Amino acid sequence: MDISSVQKLCIHLISSAVQRCRLSEGLCRLSVVLKSSPPIIRVSISDTGTGSCLEEFQDLKCNREGIGTEKWDGLLSIKTTSISDNKIYHYHLNLRGSVSARRLTRLPSIPKNDAKFSGTEVCLSISETIDALLKDIKHYFQKMLILKIPSVAAELVIERGDASGLRCENVFLPNESSPLNFSSSNVERLKSGLEEYVLKHRNSLNNKCDSCFCSREKLKISSGVASSMESHRSPGLIVEAVIAISELSESLCFRSSGNKTEVLHFKDFSPSSVSIASLNALTSIDWRSYGLTLVSAVDQVDHALIEWESLPPYLHIDMVIHCYHKQYPGKYKYQPDRHLIKKGVKLALDDLKEKHTGLLLSAHAVKICSYAPDLASSIAGIILSSNDLKFRSKCSTLLELSQSQAIGKQTVEDRIKEKIISVIETNDRKPEKIKEAAPFLFEDDRPQDLDPADLYLEEHAGGDNVFSFPD
Amino acid sequence: MDDLSKSDMKFFSDQQHCFADILLPHEVQARIQVVVLNFLKILSSPDPAISDLPLINRKSSNSRVSEGILTDVSWIFLSHSFCSRSLMKANATKAFIRVWKVMEMCFEILIQDKRVTQRELFYKLLCDSPHYFSSQLQVNRTIQDVVALLRCSRYSLGIMASRKGLVAGRILLQEPNQEAVDCSACGSSGYAISGDLNLLESLSTKTDARYIVVVEKHAIFQRLAEDNVFNQIPSILLTAKGYPDIATRFLLHRMSRAFPDLPILALVDWNPARLAILSTYKFGSIGMGLEAYRYACNVKWLGLRGDDLQLIPQQSLAPLKPRDLQIARSLISSTILRDNYRQELAVMMQSGQGAEIEALYFNGYDYLVKYLAKKIVQANYI
């Protein structure tokens, strides 16, 4: 794969290390050490995951247009060992070497003396400002926290080789207080990760913002998983989508980003760019049935940006999509599947609607709900004008109101309105095909045929049938 | 065999007959209460839903003809086809709620033992729910929806018919505990027919007339009343000033029952639209099909008819409007008209021209009376 900048190179190496850690059983440590003696930074990425194979590194291509020779000389120093090996292999790889045979230099192996461990260390020297590099690495780690890969503890150590000799450490661990354990599924972790991400105002804070998210209700989160079958032609793919909706009454902390949603993408447990398939999937979803109108979905390199036509001012939507192979490493090239992505996102949306009444109501349902108060008012009016006590008491029973005489019109009206809205919301969650015709109002009227009432337009025309003038 | 099955239909047509009952206020209240209870039951059931309102279809597809077997009177009635109004259908939500609002208002009116006119009801609804009601026509249609839902007559809902019709001539009408009114002495304006059907029911009637003449146009009615035509030809004059309202038809029907020997003769323009008016007196209507059938009368067509055209000058004939022709086509295709009516219609359609009764004045201002007298004496009516 092509590397176009030192930052990308470092991120790629760190990402490979993460994958190696993920694949090994048991806890792993990942260390990124940056020793800065300006203008050179010595980068060392070491992990205790499974041993690496050389192909990983040899596949890296770095052309002249990408990283200039003044930034990096093309040399990687690799030490690696697997659990079953009895020595640590040491290589120097020159990626700028023209002839493949000359590129690899084997150095003497280091004996392990029967100790059982595995791991890899990759070192390189680059000429870059430490801050630029640091920013990207930190950003990467923060994104990785969303995945909440359980078995990896990562640390970033910076040693500034200037006069102050400062050494600082940042540790990136999945949050200790989360309810996850090793047996949680990937999607549960993703959910938890996104939740924390949103609670920290998209990682702009170090801790959960308690003033904005003072109650559990403020953040509603759901997930959907879609998977495809494995076959010899295509790999088994899994798409996990997690959606978080936050309802903040006032944006106390900062101005909310309005009608936009960043859709974070991960591919095979690593932050990824946005694929065309993903954009297509997002634009082809029928958002109207969730009460949303999509204006545009654009690729913003590390996330997709969705713009909505209008959201209630306090509502914010966050989304993350993770596509990965069922088996890693995949034998096949990764082909993001538009249908699978669409299915995953829809499942997440439906899950959200199912768990939270009144959320993501389709535009149609919202419109009908707006009529509920008037309907409730008419029915309540009839009940309260009646002087038939048996009738009134039957109605009170049906509405689960107390039988006392002092029930006011507002109480009755509110109860009826609640019930009507609840039916509309429940109906809204059902897919179109399952919606049944409403039950008949009078039991003994079994009609021979039932047409929906046309809007009297043809009768008003009058021309068709002379006998149809109303008085 | 065909005829036999048709006559079977005649005998059992009652089973298909859907009609609106004439009920007392407490009975209508009870029906409304049943609607509310059923709605709430379904709303509160373990599998809650918002039920649709089933209304009897008031369309020609649901209309049937009852041909008089023992009497001369045929009428149109409605059968059991339903349409429904639903809350959930995007553009029909307001219509659904309108039915409830009218039902609520009628319920209140009945509780207070009042009666209102359609106009008054419109203004009340306009003030109460301006978002739902924008025109009288809409209110009238919603009222018909409520009639179709509850299957009770409009009058039972507490809504009075309009006060349109007039009576003049040789008839004495007496409201209970009131003085009798001699309609021949009412002048050209005649006696105004009340919209209150109960009141009309309670009128006592006495006549020495030999004919009842239904006049479509107010102007002609006035002319005839002014000329005291009923003293020359002993008759009762009746008009609804155009399309007949229920109250006028009600009174005409009462008179036809009270005085069965009096032939009822209609005087209308030579025009399909006016023939349609005559047909409404005769057969009823689909729009109010649940009630109108009750007041069908054996009305005979006196004039203007095809052979009267020779009495009027050519230049008084005017071309029929497209709407008139549409009505003609619709009438001709209806099974209820007899052949002689159909033939007249065919002539109208073929010539494409119509004529007004006033054209007879060409022959002099008193010609109308002479024309009437001659036709009556000759029994020249169909």
Side-chain angles (χ1 to χ4, degrees):
Chain A
M1 60 161 282
D2 269 311
I3 307 289
S4 54
S5 72
V6 284
Q7 287 96 325
K8 286 214 165 75
L9 174 63
C10 292
I11 299 290
H12 175 76
L13 292 170
I14 297 174
S15 177
S16 310
V18 169
Q19 303 312 322
R20 290 193 293 270
C21 290
R22 200 170 67 80
L23 289 170
S24 83
E25 290 143 21
L27 295 169
C28 296
R29 176 197 45 78
L30 168 68
S31 271
V32 179
V33 180
L34 304 176
K35 282 204 183 100
S36 147
S37 14
I40 304 280
I41 304 177
R42 182 96 185 133
V43 180
S44 159
I45 299 164
S46 59
D47 67 85
T48 58
T50 61
S52 56
C53 59
L54 271 179
E55 280 79 26
E56 269 186 62
F57 301 105
Q58 288 172 322
D59 280 343
L60 291 172
K61 285 190 192 45
C62 109
N63 50 21
R64 279 291 124 195
E65 291 83 44
I67 305 176
T69 36
E70 74 286 359
K71 291 231 175 203
W72 180 44
D73 55 8
L75 273 176
L76 287 176
S77 163
I78 303 163
K79 286 196 187 111
T80 184
T81 181
S82 310
I83 276 278
S84 50
D85 293 336
N86 50 17
K87 36 190 158 175
I88 301 173
Y89 298 98
H90 191 178
Y91 307 102
H92 270 180
L93 190 59
N94 182 354
L95 287 172
R96 290 196 200 268
S98 42
V99 180
S100 47
R102 292 264 183 81
R103 287 159 57 132
L104 186 67
T105 316
R106 278 176 218 274
L107 295 168
S109 317
I110 304 158
K112 274 159 81 169
N113 297 331
D114 291 330
K116 289 272 179 213
F117 59 86
S118 65
T120 306
E121 185 190 354
V122 181
C123 296
L124 64 153
S125 293
I126 54 177
S127 177
E128 181 60 90
T129 53
I130 195 160
D131 294 312
L133 188 57
L134 212 49
K135 183 160 154 282
D136 280 354
I137 294 180
K138 277 193 175 169
H139 186 65
Y140 170 85
F141 274 122
Q142 280 178 335
K143 266 203 158 177
M144 284 305 284
L145 276 181
I146 295 178
L147 285 175
K148 287 212 166 181
I149 300 174
S151 48
V152 182
E155 63 172 357
L156 173 62
V157 179
I158 304 137
E159 288 179 19
R160 290 181 195 263
D162 50 22
S164 59
L166 278 175
R167 187 176 206 270
C168 55
E169 283 183 26
N170 290 50
V171 179
F172 296 93
L173 279 176
N175 192 335
E176 312 77 26
S177 60
S178 71
L180 301 173
N181 52 39
F182 273 14
S183 57
S184 296
S185 64
N186 288 330
V187 72
E188 289 295 314
R189 292 184 211 288
L190 192 61
K191 247 167 97 167
S192 172
L194 186 68
E195 186 174 4
E196 267 178 43
Y197 177 76
V198 175
L199 288 174
K200 290 184 191 167
H201 285 314
R202 283 152 219 108
N203 281 349
S204 59
L205 301 175
N206 283 331
N207 282 307
K208 175 179 121 149
C209 177
D210 279 322
S211 53
C212 288
F213 295 101
C214 48
S215 81
R216 288 238 61 198
E217 282 308 302
K218 298 282 192 182
L219 182 62
K220 296 179 165 78
I221 195 158
S222 75
S223 59
V225 182
S227 60
S228 71
M229 296 296 293
E230 245 171 272
S231 73
H232 53 258
R233 270 214 273 149
S234 70
L237 275 179
I238 297 184
V239 172
E240 291 170 356
V242 178
I243 302 181
I245 297 194
S246 16
E247 295 174 309
L248 309 172
S249 40
E250 305 117 44
S251 30
L252 297 165
C253 296
F254 64 101
R255 214 166 55 80
S256 73
S257 34
N259 296 339
K260 299 201 168 73
T261 289
E262 286 180 3
V263 183
L264 304 171
H265 283 71
F266 288 89
K267 181 187 106 183
D268 282 323
F269 294 92
S270 194
S272 84
S273 57
V274 181
S275 60
I276 304 262
S278 176
L279 279 181
N280 283 346
L282 289 172
T283 40
S284 68
I285 291 177
D286 177 24
W287 295 100
R288 274 195 65 90
S289 62
Y290 302 101
L292 299 166
T293 312
L294 183 116
V295 171
S296 64
V298 292
D299 182 353
Q300 300 255 337
V301 184
D302 69 339
H303 59 261
L305 192 66
I306 293 183
E307 194 178 336
W308 307 107
E309 186 172 279
S310 66
L311 282 182
Y314 50 77
L315 202 74
H316 195 92
I317 304 177
D318 286 280
M319 229 187 284
V320 63
I321 297 176
H322 183 194
C323 309
Y324 58 94
H325 293 88
K326 278 188 186 156
Q327 285 179 351
Y328 185 89
K331 289 183 277 183
Y332 310 95
K333 265 183 92 73
Y334 172 72
Q335 292 283 12
D337 183 341
R338 180 187 131 197
H339 294 288
L340 212 59
I341 295 174
K342 186 175 171 181
K343 190 172 164 196
V345 175
K346 274 198 63 126
L347 284 170
L349 286 167
D350 289 336
D351 184 39
L352 206 52
K353 235 176 135 151
E354 186 66 45
K355 291 205 295 229
H356 304 280
T357 29
L359 198 61
L360 296 179
L361 276 185
S362 68
H364 171 73
V366 168
K367 188 160 174 238
I368 306 228
C369 280
S370 67
Y371 291 113
D374 292 324
L375 179 59
S377 157
S378 278
I379 301 177
I382 295 177
I383 298 175
L384 282 137
S385 321
S386 168
N387 38 27
D388 179 346
L389 293 174
K390 271 176 74 175
F391 166 67
R392 290 171 70 152
S393 108
K394 266 193 221 167
C395 290
S396 294
T397 315
L398 284 171
L399 292 172
E400 295 144 13
L401 293 168
S402 84
Q403 293 289 330
S404 82
Q405 298 290 42
I407 305 260
K409 178 161 192 244
Q410 198 58 48
T411 322
V412 177
E413 202 176 309
D414 288 340
R415 178 58 57 91
I416 299 176
K417 186 173 80 175
E418 248 173 64
K419 286 185 179 270
I420 292 173
I421 290 184
S422 144
V423 171
I424 297 171
E425 289 175 352
T426 311
N427 259 9
D428 198 41
R429 287 188 231 140
K430 294 185 194 155
E432 274 305 310
K433 315 163 220 146
I434 300 188
K435 284 187 191 164
E436 300 138 14
F440 221 63
L441 196 57
F442 303 118
E443 274 301 313
D444 32 305
D445 279 336
R446 290 277 160 237
Q448 279 94 355
D449 55 82
L450 194 69
D451 338 298
D454 304 319
L455 297 173
Y456 267 135
L457 290 171
E458 44 156 49
E459 287 191 38
H460 180 50
D464 282 337
N465 197 302
V466 275
F467 299 111
S468 60
F469 300 108
D471 188 339
Chain B
M1 280 306 287
D2 238 353
D3 288 339
L4 204 60
S5 64
K6 270 209 184 127
S7 57
D8 270 354
M9 292 300 285
K10 285 186 195 180
F11 278 113
F12 293 116
S13 65
D14 281 355
Q15 286 179 357
Q16 297 175 26
H17 191 14
C18 249
F19 52 86
D21 302 308
I22 299 179
L23 300 173
L24 296 171
H26 72 266
E27 292 170 316
V28 178
Q29 286 168 37
R31 284 195 188 187
I32 296 179
Q33 283 173 187
V34 165
V35 173
V36 171
L37 279 172
N38 282 350
F39 186 87
L40 289 180
K41 271 189 205 146
I42 294 171
L43 192 64
S44 313
S45 67
D47 188 16
I50 299 176
S51 26
D52 295 342
L53 297 172
L55 312 175
I56 304 232
N57 246 329
R58 282 137 288 145
K59 292 191 189 142
S60 49
S61 52
N62 191 27
S63 71
R64 309 271 184 276
V65 171
S66 164
E67 298 189 36
I69 311 165
L70 302 171
T71 67
D72 294 335
V73 185
S74 312
W75 62 74
I76 294 171
F77 64 90
L78 294 179
S79 186
H80 292 272
S81 160
F82 289 83
C83 64
S84 65
R85 288 224 178 277
S86 167
L87 181 71
M88 305 304 254
K89 294 227 169 66
N91 297 326
T93 314
K94 274 190 167 180
F96 179 88
I97 300 200
R98 278 197 281 268
V99 178
W100 278 101
K101 294 236 167 252
V102 170
M103 229 180 355
E104 184 198 356
M105 202 149 276
C106 290
F107 193 80
E108 280 168 22
I109 292 167
L110 292 169
I111 292 265
Q112 293 167 40
D113 214 16
K114 284 178 17 187
R115 299 218 175 280
V116 296
T117 62
Q118 289 192 127
R119 194 86 188 138
E120 286 170 339
L121 191 63
F122 167 59
Y123 279 110
K124 282 186 87 161
L125 289 166
L126 195 61
C127 292
D128 196 63
S129 324
H131 297 300
Y132 291 96
F133 295 98
S134 55
S135 70
Q136 180 73 60
L137 193 57
Q138 209 172 43
V139 170
N140 295 357
R141 283 189 186 136
T142 312
I143 292 172
Q144 290 305 315
D145 277 353
V146 176
V147 166
L149 174 71
L150 301 174
R151 304 223 221 137
C152 66
S153 73
R154 185 177 63 188
Y155 188 72
S156 314
L157 288 173
I159 300 171
M160 290 203 288
S162 56
R163 235 176 111 109
K164 266 205 329 169
L166 301 168
V167 178
R170 305 194 64 80
I171 183 168
L172 291 173
L173 295 169
Q174 188 175 24
E175 290 176 41
N177 306 322
Q178 302 273 331
E179 290 283 311
V181 175
D182 181 2
C183 297
S184 59
C186 288
S188 62
S189 49
Y191 169 84
I193 301 176
S194 160
D196 186 335
L197 299 183
N198 272 354
L199 193 148
L200 292 179
E201 181 69 48
S202 66
L203 285 175
S204 66
T205 55
K206 254 205 293 205
T207 187
D208 62 357
R210 303 266 296 281
Y211 309 96
I212 302 176
V213 180
V214 175
V215 183
E216 175 242 321
K217 277 160 123 163
H218 188 198
I220 305 290
F221 176 89
Q222 278 181 313
R223 165 100 270 140
L224 292 173
E226 246 178 55
D227 293 348
N228 288 340
V229 66
F230 35 78
N231 291 332
Q232 300 169 45
I233 312 159
S235 55
I236 304 170
L237 290 180
L238 186 85
T239 184
K241 297 191 265 193
Y243 189 83
D245 57 301
I246 283 281
T248 310
R249 296 184 54 214
F250 184 94
L251 186 61
L252 179 63
H253 185 73
R254 264 213 69 196
M255 290 200 282
S256 73
R257 276 187 357 243
F259 318 121
D261 297 329
L262 266 51
I264 306 175
L265 312 170
L267 188 59
V268 298
D269 289 342
W270 170 249
N271 185 304
R274 308 294 175 253
L275 182 58
I277 287 178
L278 192 163
S279 308
T280 307
Y281 281 106
K282 242 174 123 63
F283 306 121
S285 65
I286 291 182
M288 285 190 71
L290 293 169
E291 311 182 46
Y293 72 92
R294 288 202 177 93
Y295 312 117
C297 298
N298 189 3
V299 177
K300 303 206 197 315
W301 189 3
L302 182 80
L304 290 174
R305 297 209 314 277
D307 45 3
D308 297 328
L309 293 179
Q310 53 186 320
L311 306 169
I312 57 177
Q314 270 289 88
Q315 54 264 43
S316 56
L317 291 171
L320 291 175
K321 300 200 183 64
R323 180 158 156 74
D324 297 331
L325 289 168
Q326 219 180 355
I327 294 179
R329 279 192 287 271
S330 171
L331 271 176
I332 254 197
S333 63
S334 133
T335 52
I336 204 169
L337 281 191
R338 295 272 146 77
D339 283 334
N340 41 16
Y341 280 54
R342 254 184 248 279
Q343 276 159 23
E344 298 275 353
L345 259 181
V347 174
M348 266 191 231
M349 284 170 77
Q350 226 171 16
S351 68
Q353 291 177 315
E356 298 192 11
I357 299 179
E358 282 91 333
L360 290 171
Y361 292 141
F362 169 78
N363 303 308
Y365 284 117
D366 54 348
Y367 187 72
L368 184 56
V369 178
K370 288 192 193 139
Y371 162 84
L372 264 182
K374 185 165 171 206
K375 284 213 118 168
I376 289 176
V377 157
Q378 290 176 345
N380 188 349
Y381 35 82
I382 55 173

